Structures are given as structure tokens and as C-alpha cells.
Amino acid sequence: MKPGTGEILGMVGSVDYYDASIDGQVNVATRERQPGSSFKPITYATAFKKGWTPGTVLLDTLTAFPNPGQKPYTPKNYDGRDHGWVTVREALGNSYNIPAVKALQFAGVQDVIDTAHDMGIKGLNRGLDWYGLSLTLGGGEVTLLDMTTAYSTFANYGKEVDANPILRIEDPQGRTIYSLDPTPEGNQALVRHLTRSIAVPLRVRRRRAV
């Protein structure tokens, strides 16, 4: 997706449209699925709006979070280890789970959902009785297209521009009925400096993964 205009540059929604054995005619890019840890930056962006910074320090250790009416929610990191005191920058760059849940607890589930909506995610509309602290680890279903829009918002300095698969529409006489606005107004979902606060840890993570 082109962040500034919302142009969909490429979409692969199925391995084989004609293969019924894999439901090939289902476009996975527009069906809701759990996004996993790709949702964490939205949580941290919300926490930044409430005063956190990339240098905010969190204790990454096994924690039992209250879960009314059920057993406490006790997430673990993907590597099965605790990492002690870490900055938000380190936590996001290494995709640690426990700090991300603490970030959601601080930011608030509803406020994180509101940020997600501002950034272009159309789903997550089942109410607070449905979503809990696992939301930050991908516990709420969204579409790949919406997640792409949200990440394009980061790339577009916090301005959300809706995805658009159409460049131009012409009538039978070749007259243009519609053409994509090259400078859409968009919605300023995040202030510009917050996008850099998210982008730097993500770049660190990408370098370490190489």
C-alpha cells in the first residue's frame, strides 16, 4: 500500500482461487484473523499519547494480571524467559509479551481500540466484554487490509488514509468519472513525533532478525 494515497499496490488473498479444497475463493486479506504481535505498536502508540516514551522502563517478569470471573491472565514471552528491567524501546524491538500487556493495562483497552480505529482498523467492535489484555498480543481479529492501513499510518507520519484499490473509472466514451486524489486529506490519527517513537524500535528489531 502506498501510505500517502492509500493505493493498493499488491494483494494476494488466496494461493489458488480455483482450489476449493483450500477455500480458494476466500480472500484472506479481507477476512478477520488474529494479527499476533503486529498489534503491539498500536498499544505502545496509545501509551505514548498518555505520557510514556521509548525510554520508559518496565519490569519484564512473570506477572499474573487480574481477570474477573476467571483465572488470572499470565502471559509468557516467546522465548520463555524474563528479561528484568527493560525500556519500551527494548520491549517493542524484541517483541516481549509481558511488557506489551503492561502497556495495554496502562493505556486502557478501550483507548487502544480507539487508536486502532483512528489508524484505519474497521473491526474490533464487539465491546469491552469481548476484548481483554490479550488484545495487545493479537487476541482481537482484524483484517490484513486494515492492519496494512494502520502500518501505513505510521509510515505516513500519523496520517490515516483509507485503502483504495481504484485509480480511475471511465465511462464507455473514455470520460473520467473518478480518479484517485493524489493528495487526500486523510485523518491525523497520531502526532508526527509518535510515529518516529514507534518506527525506531521496529527498525532495531528488523536489523536483529537479519
Side-chain angles (χ1 to χ4, degrees):
M1 183 181 296
K2 196 171 182 178
T5 63
E7 295 175 55
I8 297 176
L9 303 179
M11 178 189 291
V12 179
S14 172
V15 174
D16 186 348
Y17 181 86
Y18 298 102
D19 188 347
S21 68
I22 60 168
D23 293 325
Q25 295 182 20
V26 174
N27 186 346
V28 180
T30 59
R31 291 299 179 96
E32 290 189 336
R33 306 180 75 183
Q34 291 191 348
S37 291
S38 68
F39 196 84
K40 290 174 182 173
I42 298 174
T43 299
Y44 284 113
T46 309
F48 290 164
K49 290 196 290 185
K50 294 190 169 190
W52 279 18
T53 72
T56 297
V57 176
L58 301 171
L59 182 59
D60 177 25
T61 188
L62 192 65
T63 304
F65 296 90
N67 192 14
Q70 302 182 49
K71 294 172 58 178
Y73 178 51
T74 311
K76 296 181 180 179
N77 291 320
Y78 65 90
D79 60 1
R81 299 168 50 203
D82 299 340
H83 305 92
W85 293 104
V86 296
T87 63
V88 166
R89 182 182 294 107
E90 293 171 315
L92 177 56
N94 290 281
S95 194
Y96 295 150
N97 290 338
I98 298 169
V101 175
K102 291 185 175 182
L104 178 59
Q105 187 180 47
F106 167 77
V109 174
Q110 184 61 61
D111 286 345
V112 170
I113 291 174
D114 290 344
T115 298
H117 287 162
D118 289 343
M119 295 179 66
I121 290 178
K122 305 296 192 296
L124 301 179
N125 296 314
R126 297 183 177 182
L128 293 180
D129 290 338
W130 183 268
Y131 304 108
L133 294 178
S134 66
L135 176 67
T136 193
L137 306 183
E141 291 82 3
V142 298
T143 69
L144 174 60
L145 184 58
D146 281 357
M147 283 301 294
T148 304
T149 302
Y151 269 71
S152 292
T153 300
F154 283 127
N156 199 33
Y157 302 105
K159 181 179 288 187
E160 184 271 334
V161 176
D162 286 343
N164 193 332
I166 300 172
L167 295 179
R168 185 173 62 255
I169 300 175
E170 297 179 350
D171 67 12
Q173 285 71 45
R175 292 172 297 195
T176 299
I177 299 174
Y178 165 85
S179 61
L180 180 69
D181 184 354
T183 57
E185 183 176 346
N187 165 49
Q188 196 67 44
L190 301 171
V191 295
R192 291 174 66 96
H193 76 271
L194 289 183
T195 62
R196 177 170 175 77
S197 297
I198 292 293
V200 171
L202 291 178
R203 285 200 297 268
V204 169
R205 181 183 179 189
R206 186 164 60 247
R207 285 201 300 269
R208 289 179 178 175
V210 173

